[in-house]
Amino acid sequence: MSTRKSEAGSNRIKRIPVKEPTWRRLHDLKEAGQSYDELLSVMILRERDYRDWKMIIGIDQAGRFVDFDPDEIMRDR
């Protein structure tokens, strides 16, 4: 199966092979009427938020901060 996108873009259906125990756990997370695509989209957003949060916590714990002037940054645009 090709992974290239057609001109239609991202609306193509892709299949993701998963083992049955994984599918059952995924199914248990799905709400009534929710598609697997919707569930996975929500899970992706949560994972991105978690990774951002984890990065911020790491920066906070390391104590490496750089002062900046947001007005100066925006002036260059």
Side-chain angles (χ1 to χ4, degrees), residues 25-26 28-31 34 37-55:
R25 290 193 303 267
L26 190 63
D28 289 343
L29 293 174
K30 195 169 81 67
E31 296 176 7
Q34 185 181 34
D37 186 68
E38 292 167 338
L39 173 63
L40 291 170
S41 294
V42 168
M43 293 172 76
I44 289 167
L45 288 175
R46 286 182 183 161
E47 179 63 22
R48 285 185 178 166
D49 287 347
Y50 171 74
R51 288 179 184 190
D52 288 346
W53 172 81
K54 198 164 79 169
M55 180 185 66

Side-chain angles (χ1 to χ4, degrees), residues 16-24:
I16 303 171
V18 295
K19 295 179 181 176
E20 188 169 342
T22 303
W23 180 85
R24 288 186 189 281

Side-chain angles (χ1 to χ4, degrees), residues 47-73:
E47 179 63 22
R48 285 185 178 166
D49 287 347
Y50 171 74
R51 288 179 184 190
D52 288 346
W53 172 81
K54 198 164 79 169
M55 180 185 66
I56 291 167
I57 294 299
I59 291 169
D60 185 46
Q61 289 175 346
R64 290 186 228 133
F65 301 99
V66 176
D67 290 332
F68 68 93
D69 180 5
D71 293 329
E72 184 179 323
I73 292 171

